[in-house]
Amino acid sequence: MIEFPDRMRRTALSKGAAGQEWLAALPGRLAYVCAVWELTPGEALDGGSAALVLKVRRSDGTEAVLRLAPPGDGFAGQVRTIAAADGHGYVRLYAHDPARDASLLEPLGPALGTTAPSPEHTLDVLAATLRQAWLVPRPPDATVPPGTDKASTLAELIIELWPETGRPCPAEVVDRAVGYANSRAAAFDLDGSVVCHGDPHPDNALAVLSPRPGAESGYVFIDPDGFLCDPAYDLGVAVRGWTTEVLAAKDPVGLVRGYCARLAAATGVDEQAIWEWGFTERVSSGLYMIRHGAPEEGREYLESAARLLG
């Protein structure tokens, strides 16, 4: 019997009948996939909140990780991106079963967020790993209809969530974020876009167990969103957090501007674009956290954004 992680179980139960149905069917799905792929299940991993992730041993004695995702978890898109990456900047995919939202993945080590000695080291690793991840081939028929680019959707989200969450930050913060989002939307260029990870924070970058091509930074990403966007978007996500450092800094603008300059120098991506994406993501993430059950963390994001108005 596999003991399911409490956080995964709570997330499923929060989705009502659909989540209960998924939990009830999970043991059968697990047994089926293990039989077909000749896997011996091991302990469940508590790295995520939605999917069941556990260590497994394959028939040849090698280790792997099995992921069983719930409906609506973006499984198909994640697998498509990981498969196209072929190990460059991303975890390797050994097998997948789209009918059962199952994937068999390369085993990895600890997350960057648990081992990095400093924000600067973390940003250097993320930049190096993203340079590999951006090599993922774009789908040949990919399009981004007007108004559906990431910047436009973020502007809409901020405008919707600010009053819905009780206006938890000054209007000036929202105005600046929406202004930056509109700037990024106006600059959107499909030809200059890459397949972005979408959420390359330090806990989504895991160490490879041994050196290999495509993981020269020593880390690879998991759980990609995989949409077309300006590469500066991923770098903006990399600087959107660091709330403890921003709130403690005597010169918070200089601190984050320095982070952006560091990433720009490492990747050749425009520094101002990184700054604008980072500020927009800081505000949208703060509002989203307040809306979805993490109010204290969300308010820290918004407070740090207010300190970056300059």
Side-chain angles (χ1 to χ4, degrees):
M1 295 294 292
I2 302 298
E3 184 175 351
F4 296 156
D6 287 340
R7 186 161 58 144
M8 184 210 77
R9 187 185 297 276
R10 289 196 303 270
T11 300
L13 293 176
S14 72
K15 298 178 180 178
Q20 294 177 22
E21 181 179 342
W22 180 74
L23 277 177
L26 198 52
R29 289 175 60 205
L30 174 59
Y32 177 88
V33 170
C34 285
V36 170
W37 287 341
E38 299 181 338
L39 306 173
T40 301
E43 66 175 318
L45 302 175
D46 198 20
S49 62
L52 174 64
V53 183
L54 66 157
K55 295 180 179 179
V56 294
R57 182 177 296 275
R58 299 194 286 178
S59 59
D60 63 1
T62 58
E63 302 291 333
V65 170
L66 177 63
R67 187 177 190 273
L68 295 173
D73 192 46
F75 172 79
Q78 289 186 2
V79 168
R80 184 166 53 247
T81 300
I82 292 172
D86 192 26
H88 287 278
Y90 285 101
V91 61
R92 280 178 168 158
L93 177 70
Y94 294 153
H96 79 283
D97 181 345
R100 292 169 180 80
D101 292 339
S103 56
L104 189 65
L105 303 163
E106 169 188 19
L108 297 170
L112 176 61
T114 66
T115 60
S118 68
E120 290 77 12
H121 176 82
T122 300
L123 295 174
D124 290 347
V125 172
L126 291 176
T129 309
L130 283 169
R131 288 201 303 269
Q132 286 288 339
W134 292 334
L135 297 175
V136 173
R138 288 171 38 168
D141 57 347
T143 61
V144 180
T148 66
D149 60 278
K150 186 65 173 180
S152 295
T153 58
L154 281 179
E156 293 175 1
L157 180 68
I158 292 168
I159 292 170
E160 173 188 335
L161 289 182
W162 186 58
E164 187 178 312
T165 54
R167 295 176 171 81
C169 63
E172 187 179 3
V173 171
V174 170
D175 292 343
R176 181 73 59 88
V178 172
Y180 282 157
N182 289 337
S183 170
R184 292 297 91 215
F188 178 73
D189 174 22
L190 183 60
D191 291 338
S193 298
V194 299
V195 178
C196 281
H197 179 282
D199 196 21
H201 59 72
D203 288 337
N204 270 341
L206 274 61
V208 292
L209 298 181
S210 59
R212 66 165 178 81
E216 284 75 10
S217 71
Y219 289 81
V220 291
F221 288 116
I222 60 170
D223 297 349
D225 293 330
F227 54 86
L228 291 178
C229 194
D230 172 9
Y233 173 78
D234 272 345
L235 299 173
V237 172
V239 300
R240 76 179 170 197
W242 310 109
T243 55
T244 300
E245 289 77 7
V246 171
L247 294 174
K250 293 182 179 179
D251 178 15
V253 173
L255 177 73
V256 179
R257 284 284 185 183
Y259 291 166
C260 293
R262 191 181 192 96
L263 291 172
T267 61
V269 174
D270 181 69
E271 179 182 335
Q272 179 63 22
I274 298 170
W275 170 269
E276 292 182 2
W277 278 119
F279 189 92
T280 302
E281 267 289 316
R282 188 179 295 272
V283 176
S284 63
S285 296
L287 294 171
Y288 185 88
M289 290 174 189
I290 292 172
R291 175 63 180 81
H292 293 280
E296 292 185 7
E297 187 175 1
R299 290 190 178 91
E300 286 184 356
Y301 268 65
L302 297 178
E303 183 181 350
S304 68
R307 295 205 67 204
L308 296 176
L309 287 174

